[in-house]
Amino acid sequence: MTAQVITVTSGKGGVGKTTAVANLANALAMDGKRVVCIDGDIGLRNLDVVMGLENRIVYDLVDVIEGRCKLKQAMIRDKRYPELYLIPAAQTRDKNAVSPSDMVRICNDLRADSDFVIIDSPAGIERGFRNSIAAADRVLVVTNPEVSAVRDADRVVGILEAEEKGSPALILNRLNPALVRNNDMLSAEDVLDLLGIQLIGIVPEDETVIIGSNRGAPVAADGKSRAGQAFRNIAKRLQGQDVPFMDLEPQSGLWSAIQKITGRK
Amino acid sequence: MNFFTRKRSASSAKERLQLVLIHDRTDLTLEEMEALKDDLLKTIARHIEIDPEAIQIGLEKDGREQRLVADIPLRGAARRRAG
Ligand SMILES: Nc1ncnc2c1ncn2[C@@H]1O[C@H](COP(=O)(O)OP(=O)(O)O)[C@@H](O)[C@H]1O
Ligand SMILES: [Mg+2]
């Protein structure tokens, strides 16, 4: 095995990076992959609660780097799956506790016996972001269909290109199809045209995401959640499968049939 | 604003972002862009006869690449051809 190291980043905070990491990791683990997530947001640990693993933390990333434990000891296993692990972020205030070369070393150690290493990057373009992209084979940029998020995503894409990290793929999160239909939200086409990068998935605005976070149970495992479906599709694309993009119109079936009959659209 | 007459906000968002991104990517402010255009015009005018009114210089986007595109009709040549 030799893992693909995937970093999820965004520029702007609060757009759904941690949500995406937790859900992609769950979806990949459901597909039988061996997955290790790393919370790269030093000082603002979050991925543990979103994944529902917060009560099991003993060691963290900085403990590994500073030699207080072995890498394996900092890997918390998610017992719902055979092979899903989290390396939590430290809650230290020292932002310099981690360097890009530390991340490269840890990821290289993980590569040998995993399929995917997924890194949750902090917002911004500072040290934590640099650490998070250092080992990446592939970068996913998350944005929302909203001016400030798109602008910040563009900055990050520019930096990734300058660092020769290759062109990242876009996750457009929290798209509201009704607003797009009314022309009051940027569409996926608009955002792709503005950013000029490839699309890997569109995740609808979906309240099940918040319910899932509340419970520490990412919605990728919920067969009825539309956002969960979107994340499962992205996970398939990461495995090289060609999955068509979902139809995001919420009222499929009866309602759209009525609209067709009455000529409304 | 009236529901029927207001311009839908997605198009303003897109237009505004298009401009902002061009300037973010090139690190050029609108003012710096104007100064660059002026300098270009002056330099060109030292060599050939041009009509400053007919000239168009601007940034264009091609995927993630930005281009400085100049369209400069040559007055002298055009007149000569017309005889
Ligand atoms: N598709 C979605 N639909 C609804 N809420 C979402 C969606 N994606 C993320 N959220 C919510 O948005 C908030 C920020 O998400 P988070 O993943 O923490 O962002 P980041 O890690 O980029 O700061 C959280 O409360 C999360 O539950
Ligand atoms: Mg986060």
Side-chain angles (χ1 to χ4, degrees):
Chain A
M1 261 190 276
T2 174
Q4 233 195 98
V5 178
I6 297 174
T7 298
V8 178
T9 190
S10 68
K12 189 173 189 284
V15 297
K17 292 176 293 297
T18 300
T19 303
V21 170
N23 277 286
L24 293 177
N26 271 255
L28 289 165
M30 282 164 67
D31 287 341
K33 299 294 163 191
R34 190 180 159 146
V35 187
V36 183
C37 306
I38 304 179
D39 189 344
D41 207 344
I42 303 299
L44 289 170
R45 180 193 280 169
N46 253 332
L47 187 55
D48 56 337
V49 280
V50 176
M51 293 178 77
L53 299 173
E54 71 278 10
N55 291 329
R56 315 235 328 268
I57 297 178
V58 181
Y59 296 109
D60 60 47
L61 185 66
V62 173
D63 291 323
V64 178
I65 289 165
E66 295 179 351
R68 280 187 293 274
C69 70
K70 297 216 176 72
L71 182 55
K72 284 242 153 41
Q73 292 176 290
M75 290 165 59
I76 305 164
R77 201 183 78 130
D78 186 328
K79 293 176 183 157
R80 291 164 286 195
Y81 302 94
E83 301 272 22
L84 173 59
Y85 302 87
L86 165 71
I87 301 179
Q91 286 293 44
T92 163
R93 281 159 194 273
D94 181 8
K95 292 260 170 198
N96 293 326
V98 184
S99 73
S101 59
D102 292 328
M103 290 300 283
V104 170
R105 197 164 38 80
I106 287 175
C107 288
N108 283 343
D109 286 349
L110 292 169
R111 266 179 221 274
D113 38 25
S114 12
D115 297 307
F116 289 91
V117 175
I118 310 184
I119 302 173
D120 186 11
S121 156
I125 48 176
E126 316 288 313
R127 174 90 176 221
F129 159 74
R130 304 268 167 192
N131 287 336
S132 297
I133 62 167
D137 299 316
R138 190 159 189 199
V139 180
L140 307 182
V141 171
V142 183
T143 195
N144 301 150
E146 187 251 316
V147 284
S148 56
V150 172
R151 183 189 198 176
D152 291 356
D154 190 72
R155 281 279 284 148
V156 163
V157 175
I159 294 169
L160 291 167
E161 283 180 339
E163 303 266 309
E164 301 190 337
K165 278 281 159 199
S167 184
L170 182 74
I171 297 179
L172 182 56
N173 187 29
R174 306 194 78 155
L175 188 96
N176 180 329
L179 278 182
V180 173
R181 213 177 321 113
N182 279 332
N183 269 309
D184 271 325
M185 179 176 269
L186 290 165
S187 67
E189 292 75 30
D190 290 336
V191 176
L192 286 176
D193 183 36
L194 287 161
L195 292 179
I197 59 174
Q198 87 213 76
L199 179 70
I200 193 163
I202 305 171
V203 183
E205 171 76 29
D206 184 345
E207 61 192 31
T208 65
V209 170
I210 294 160
I211 297 168
S213 298
N214 289 344
R215 299 201 168 119
V219 292
D222 172 356
K224 285 189 281 256
S225 162
R226 307 208 18 104
Q229 178 69 54
F231 283 120
R232 288 195 296 276
N233 288 351
I234 298 172
K236 299 266 189 243
R237 293 182 194 116
L238 288 174
Q239 296 169 71
Q241 296 175 33
D242 194 4
V243 186
F245 287 96
M246 280 162 66
D247 174 14
L248 289 177
E249 286 304 316
Q251 336 81 340
S252 54
L254 184 61
W255 176 243
S256 67
I258 293 169
Q259 282 184 314
K260 266 187 206 121
I261 294 165
T262 58
R264 280 187 47 207
K265 188 68 198 151
Chain B
M1 234 186 296
N2 185 298
F3 179 82
F4 294 102
T5 55
R6 118 186 130 102
K7 183 174 162 194
R8 304 321 296 253
S9 65
S11 27
S12 337
K14 189 167 185 192
E15 280 161 28
R16 291 171 57 231
L17 271 168
Q18 263 161 344
L19 274 179
V20 166
L21 294 192
I22 283 184
H23 293 285
D24 281 358
R25 287 176 190 178
T26 50
D27 230 350
L28 271 180
T29 63
L30 273 172
E31 268 167 38
E32 288 167 329
M33 190 63 213
E34 287 309 311
L36 170 63
K37 279 188 201 171
D38 277 356
D39 280 356
L40 268 175
L41 284 187
K42 277 184 206 139
T43 309
I44 295 167
R46 278 213 308 274
H47 298 274
I48 45 180
E49 197 184 329
I50 51 172
D51 173 4
E53 298 294 295
I55 283 178
Q56 287 184 9
I57 302 178
L59 285 169
E60 274 179 20
K61 179 169 81 86
D62 176 15
R64 287 200 55 82
E65 271 177 33
Q66 313 298 313
R67 289 202 179 141
L68 183 63
V69 177
D71 182 358
I72 306 166
L74 300 180
R75 187 187 259 168
R79 215 179 272 151
R80 266 197 302 279
R81 255 207 306 280

